[in-house]
Amino acid sequence: MSIAAPEIRMPLTAITTSAQLGLRTAASATPDIQRIVQDLLGILGCTNRLVVLINDLMDVSRIRNGQLLQEGR
């Protein structure tokens, strides 16, 4: 888990930063829609990365417990 924690923190930090930037941009007098879309795409990319990391952690857990079955069985 000590190896996984920084890998999980990085996308979470990027998600937080992108959300904060998007909110600031949306709340401005003249919102920049392109910037908001860019921030939202960044959030989606980071959440997808987290899904991959979580799936990998689940696989490692299953392997350690002898529960991961080979595909096709």
Side-chain angles (χ1 to χ4, degrees):
M1 286 305 282
S2 63
I3 295 171
E7 292 294 322
I8 292 172
R9 277 193 195 117
M10 284 189 304
L12 284 175
T13 300
I15 289 168
T16 302
T17 302
S18 293
Q20 290 171 339
L21 290 171
L23 284 170
R24 270 192 216 151
T25 303
S28 70
T30 55
D32 180 354
I33 300 302
Q34 291 288 19
R35 179 64 198 178
I36 294 170
V37 168
Q38 185 178 11
D39 292 336
L40 290 173
L41 289 172
I43 290 169
L44 284 174
C46 290
T47 56
N48 288 336
R49 176 70 181 133
L50 284 173
V51 168
V52 169
L53 287 169
I54 291 167
N55 287 339
D56 289 348
L57 286 172
M58 296 291 292
D59 286 345
V60 168
S61 177
R62 287 185 195 111
I63 289 168
R64 294 184 84 187
N65 292 326
Q67 297 173 343
L68 187 66
L69 298 175
Q70 294 179 353
E71 287 187 32
R73 287 189 179 193

